[in-house]
Structure formats: structure tokens, C-alpha cells
Amino acid sequence: MNTVFLANAGGAAGNNWMMIILFIILIGFTYFGMIRPQKKQQQQRLQMMDKLKKGDEVILVDGLHAKIDKINSDKTVVVDADGIYLTFERMAIRRVLPAAAKPAAPAEAAKPAEAAKPAEPAKPASLDEAKKEDK
């Protein structure tokens, strides 16, 4: 009876090592798959909060689009939403709209004025080309 017990003891030791290795792999996956990317995202968000300045257009967590009017030292921001001044915590800002999108709007406004002119159809240079277009 004792020999059967001693024979099984050797197999159990190998199984324990396998469980420890699987546990270490699970911890590594959790760190590199979840914790590390979340820390990186949080660091980027804090850098964005530090770069805020007056006049930046932002989107708040509730979806409100506004422009920063004043940044207070107590980590609050006063935003101008169409003439209404509201005070929020800095962490209420979801993202800052890129400044490159602002100059594009006036360029698009100029295009419809050019498009208002009627386009003249292309005239064929010769009768042969006119017959080819008719076919």
C-alpha cells in the first residue's frame, strides 16, 4: 500500500510545477494585456489635461461641445457653450478637438461660391469627335 502512495507522489510534484507556470503566465497576460495599456492611456490623458489652454475646443464626457474660456488653479475649467459659461472639473473633458479641423471650415465655405457658376459642357473639337460622342 505504501508503494502505491509513493509512486503517485512523484507525479504530483510535476503537476504542481505546471500549475505554478500557468499561474505566472496568467499574471503576465493580465499585466501586459490589461494593466499596462490602461496606465499608458491614463498617462496620455493626464498629458492632454496639462496641455489645455484658453481657446481650445473640447468635448466633455456628457457630449457637450464647448470652448475653454478660463482654466482655474483648483483643477476646474470654465467653458463657453454658445454664450453659456459653465464650470467643470478638468477630468470632465473627454477629448480636445484638433486645431487642424478649424481652418478647414472656411476653405469649404469658399467652395460652394465657386460651384455656383454653371459648368459649361465640353465642346468637341471636330465633327468626328461629336459623332463618336453621340454613339
Side-chain angles (χ1 to χ4, degrees):
M1 184 83 161
N2 286 339
T3 57
V4 172
F5 178 72
L6 292 175
N8 286 336
N15 196 15
N16 286 340
W17 281 107
M18 191 63 133
M19 289 296 282
I20 291 171
I21 291 171
L22 287 175
F23 187 67
I24 290 171
I25 290 172
L26 180 66
I27 290 173
F29 175 74
T30 303
Y31 178 76
F32 287 106
M34 299 173 151
I35 297 171
R36 190 170 179 217
Q38 187 176 10
K39 282 185 178 182
K40 188 175 181 180
Q41 185 180 23
Q42 184 179 12
Q43 184 181 19
Q44 289 174 345
R45 183 169 170 81
L46 290 175
Q47 286 176 354
M48 179 192 69
M49 295 295 160
D50 290 338
K51 292 180 183 177
L52 288 175
K53 61 186 178 299
K54 182 178 178 177
D56 283 346
E57 292 191 17
V58 295
I59 299 177
L60 301 173
V61 291
D62 60 352
L64 181 70
H65 292 245
K67 183 184 275 190
I68 294 179
D69 185 60
K70 185 168 79 170
I71 299 174
N72 298 329
S73 61
D74 60 345
K75 296 185 180 180
T76 59
V77 176
V78 178
V79 295
D80 178 14
D82 294 331
I84 301 170
Y85 294 94
L86 304 168
T87 303
F88 288 96
E89 293 286 326
R90 283 189 191 186
M91 295 307 287
I93 296 173
R94 177 181 295 160
R95 66 180 179 168
V96 178
L97 295 176
K102 296 175 193 172
E108 290 176 8
K111 287 181 183 178
E114 294 173 6
K117 294 187 274 184
E120 295 180 19
K123 296 180 183 176
S126 67
L127 291 176
D128 292 332
E129 290 178 12
K131 288 179 185 178
K132 288 179 186 178
E133 287 181 8
D134 290 340
K135 291 180 184 180

